[in-house]
Amino acid sequence: MATLQDIAEKLGISKGTVSKALNGAPDISETSRKIILETAVEMGYTKLHRQKDVPKKLCVLIENIEYEEPHHFGYDLIMGFRQLAEPAGYQVDVLPFTEKLQKLTPYDIFMLEHDYVGSFVLGFSLSDPWMKDFQTSRTPAVLYDNYIQSNPNTTYIGIDNNEGMELAVEHLKNLGHKKIGYLSGALGAYIMQVRHRAFFHALRQNGLKSDPTYAGSSYYISECMQKHLPRLLNLGVTGLICSHDQIANAAIVQCQQLELHVPKDISIIGFDDLPISAYTSPPMTTVRQERAELGKCAYYALDSLLNKVSIGTMLLHAQLIVRNSTGPLVSET
Amino acid sequence: MATLQDIAEKLGISKGTVSKALNGAPDISETSRKIILETAVEMGYTKLHRQKDVPKKLCVLIENIEYEEPHHFGYDLIMGFRQLAEPAGYQVDVLPFTEKLQKLTPYDIFMLEHDYVGSFVLGFSLSDPWMKDFQTSRTPAVLYDNYIQSNPNTTYIGIDNNEGMELAVEHLKNLGHKKIGYLSGALGAYIMQVRHRAFFHALRQNGLKSDPTYAGSSYYISECMQKHLPRLLNLGVTGLICSHDQIANAAIVQCQQLELHVPKDISIIGFDDLPISAYTSPPMTTVRQERAELGKCAYYALDSLLNKVSIGTMLLHAQLIVRNSTGPLVSET
C-alpha cells in the first residue's frame, strides 16, 4: 500500500504538502490538490489503516429512493446497514446523490477527498456516470441491485430474483393459471433486466410457454396500464406478475375499474412487499425483499471487501408472501 | 424457539428424560432417543443458545474432495473457514462423509445428536441423500458449489462461474480464436451444469456462435480425451476451455501426443487453478478459485444464517490467471 512518502517521491514534493492536500488544508492550491488526490488514488493510497482513534467513515450513496421515513423503501435498508456498521466502529453518512454531483468528481477521488473507506450504493441506474467508474474503482463499493463485472472492489447485493420469480410463477401455476403475463418498469435498470429474464426463465422451469408478447414494460406506470394491461387481458391472461408493488397496485385498481374481480377474474402478484402492500384492496400477494436484512448483507459484503475477501454477488433468499390478490383459476364457461 | 420443557410436554415425558436423550445418556433406549431427537428437530429446538461456557461446534462435511495436504483442493477451503470460525469461538470438526453415512441418519438429527449448530458442506453431488434433506432442513448449512432453492437455512457459496467463463472466452476471442470448444466433467454435479450453461452464455455475450456440438462431457477424463477431444479438433476448434484443471492438463498432454503444439496449434484453459497448474508444461491459463477466501466466505455465510440473515447465494469474483497454454491464433494457410 502506498504511503504519503511514496506519493511525495513520485510527485517530487514534500510529504507535508501531500498530507495537507489529502486533509483539505486551505493553503494548497486547487490544482495541486487535484493532482495529489489523483496520484494518491492511482497509487492505491487508502486512509483505511491510518488514524487509529478517529472513527472510519462509510457512506450510503442514494439516488431515486426515498429513505427518510419508516414507510419509505430505503429506510430499513439504511437502518440494517447502520445496525451492523456503527457498533463495529464506523461512522455512516447518508448522501443523497444526483447524476450532476457524479459528473463533478470521479468516485475514487470523491471518496478519498471525504475520508470514506467504502460505500453502499442505492438506486443508481445504468446510465449514472459513476456506474462507469465502478468498473475500475479501487474504493470498496457495495451496490444494491447493480452488478459490476470483474472489479474485485465491488459487490452486488439483492434478493435472488430468479428464486422470487419461480415462487411467483409456481404459485400461480398451482392455482391453475396457465396464461401468465408480466408488467415491468423500464428496462434501463439492471434489476428490471434481471427480473424480466427471470420471468421467462421461471415460465420454462414450470413447463409453461415462454412468449415475449406476454410481457410489457414502460417507464410510466400509466403507460403500462393503458397500453400493456389491456393487451395482456385480450391475450387471455388470468395471472399477472409485476416487477414492483406500485405497478401491481395500479393493475389491481385498473382491473377493478374494468369491472374485473381480483382475484376471481385475475390474480395479481407484486415484487418488494412495500409496507403499503398489506393494505391494498385486496391485500397483495408479493415477493418480499427483507430490506433490513439486505442492509445487513451490505455491511457484511463491505466488511469483506475491506478485508480483501472479494465477494462479487450476495443474494438473499426470496420469500413469497401470499395474501388475497391471488386465487384459484375460475375456469371460463 | 422450543425449550426442553416444550419437548417434554409434547411427548408427555419428563424434562430430565429429554435432556438425557439430547445429551446421549446411556440409560435412554435407542427408540426413545430417536423419537425425542425427531421431535426436537420438528419443534425447531437448537443448542445454539445453550451452554455459554462450552464452545459451540461447527462441522465441515466433506465428500469426494481431498483435504489433508496443502496441495489438495480442500485444504485451503477448510483453512480459510477455520481462520475465521475458531477465533470467533467455534470448535470446527472435519468429517469425511459418504452416501452410506447419510442414509443412516437424517441431516438435522445427525447435527442435533452431535451438537453441531451449523455445517460447511463440500463435494456433495446431486444424488447424495442429504441433498434432499437440505431442501427442508432447519440446521444452517453452507454448501460449496451446490444451490438449494427456497430453504432459508442454506447458502450456496462458490466463485462466479459466469464471470469466470466470460473472462476465459473473452481472453480467447481477444487472441483471435473463433472456434472455441468445451470439455466438461459429468453433468450430474450442480456446478458442472452451471459451468456448461455459462460456457454457452459467454459465447453469446462475446458475439460467438453457440453450438452444442462444440461441447463434450463425461465422468471419465479418458473418455473426454478419446471421444470428445478428437471430435472437437475435427470441428476445427483452436481454443479449448475445460471445466477442471485436471481435464485441461489431460488435454494438453493428449494434444501434444497428437503432435499439436500448445498454444501455437491450440490454446487450452482450465478451471480452478490447482497448485499443480502453474507447473504443467506449458504452465496453464486457468480461472482461479481463491480457496482460502471461499472458506472465509463460507464462515461469513454460516455466521449470517446463525444470525437469521438468510443469504441464499454468495459468489466470489472470478479471476483469469494467464499463463502459457494460451496464445494468439496462428491462422492456417
Side-chain angles (χ1 to χ4, degrees), chain A residues 147-152 154 160 163 166-167 293 296-297 300 304 308-317, chain B residues 147-152 154 160 163 166-167 293 297 300 304 308-317:
Chain A
Y147 173 67
I148 308 292
Q149 182 157 319
S150 298
N151 181 352
T154 63
D160 185 334
E163 188 176 55
E166 282 185 31
L167 291 171
E293 290 199 4
K296 288 181 185 172
C297 278
Y300 277 124
S304 305
K308 303 280 170 206
V309 175
S310 180
I311 296 173
T313 299
M314 195 191 274
L315 304 178
L316 272 187
H317 277 294
Chain B
Y147 172 67
I148 308 292
Q149 182 157 318
S150 299
N151 180 351
T154 63
D160 185 335
E163 188 177 55
E166 281 185 32
L167 291 170
E293 290 198 4
C297 277
Y300 278 123
S304 304
K308 303 280 170 207
V309 175
S310 179
I311 296 172
T313 299
M314 195 190 274
L315 304 178
L316 272 187
H317 277 294

Side-chain angles (χ1 to χ4, degrees), chain A residues 110-123:
Chain A
F110 173 86
M111 296 293 282
L112 184 58
E113 217 174 349
H114 295 86
D115 294 342
Y116 292 122
V117 296
S119 67
F120 177 24
V121 181
L122 295 166

Side-chain angles (χ1 to χ4, degrees), chain A residues 140-313:
Chain A
V142 172
L143 297 97
Y144 170 64
D145 276 354
N146 267 310
Y147 173 67
I148 308 292
Q149 182 157 319
S150 298
N151 181 352
N153 303 309
T154 63
T155 306
Y156 154 40
I157 68 140
I159 62 159
D160 185 334
N161 288 285
N162 270 313
E163 188 176 55
M165 207 55 91
E166 282 185 31
L167 291 171
V169 169
E170 193 181 46
H171 172 66
L172 289 175
K173 190 190 167 190
N174 290 342
L175 290 168
H177 300 275
K178 286 188 190 100
K179 289 195 172 178
I180 301 174
Y182 181 62
L183 287 180
S184 162
L187 301 180
Y190 172 74
I191 196 62
M192 290 297 100
Q193 296 176 359
V194 168
R195 288 191 188 155
H196 197 262
R197 274 199 303 271
F199 170 68
F200 291 107
H201 183 256
L203 288 180
R204 290 191 298 272
Q205 289 291 102
N206 278 279
L208 297 171
K209 212 178 71 178
S210 154
D211 175 348
T213 59
Y214 281 74
S217 69
S218 169
Y219 183 79
Y220 299 104
I221 293 183
S222 57
E223 195 174 294
C224 266
M225 295 307 120
Q226 283 150 29
K227 190 173 138 194
H228 299 301
L229 180 61
R231 189 172 59 74
L232 297 184
L233 292 172
N234 280 336
L235 286 168
V237 156
T238 61
L240 181 66
I241 299 173
C242 302
S243 68
H244 281 119
D245 284 356
Q246 290 100 325
I247 298 180
N249 186 40
I252 290 173
V253 171
Q254 184 71 12
C255 283
Q256 287 165 343
Q257 283 177 356
L258 296 169
E259 308 208 333
L260 292 171
H261 186 276
V262 180
K264 274 189 197 149
D265 297 315
I266 182 159
S267 286
I268 298 178
I269 299 183
F271 236 95
D272 285 346
D273 195 24
L274 292 181
I276 56 140
S277 305
Y279 306 103
T280 53
S281 174
M284 195 190 293
T285 297
T286 183
V287 176
R288 179 178 288 171
Q289 304 219 47
E290 280 285 359
R291 289 179 293 280
E293 290 199 4
L294 282 167
K296 288 181 185 172
C297 278
Y299 175 75
Y300 277 124
L302 198 47
D303 185 47
S304 305
L305 291 181
L306 289 166
N307 286 299
K308 303 280 170 206
V309 175
S310 180
I311 296 173
T313 299

Side-chain angles (χ1 to χ4, degrees), chain B residues 220-262:
Chain B
Y220 298 103
I221 293 182
S222 57
E223 194 174 295
C224 266
M225 294 308 120
Q226 282 150 28
K227 190 173 140 196
H228 299 301
L229 180 61
R231 190 172 58 74
L232 296 185
L233 292 172
N234 280 337
L235 285 168
V237 156
T238 61
L240 181 67
I241 299 174
C242 301
S243 68
H244 282 119
D245 284 356
Q246 290 100 324
I247 298 181
N249 185 40
I252 290 173
V253 171
Q254 184 72 11
C255 284
Q256 287 164 344
Q257 283 178 355
L258 296 169
E259 308 207 333
L260 293 171
H261 185 275
V262 180

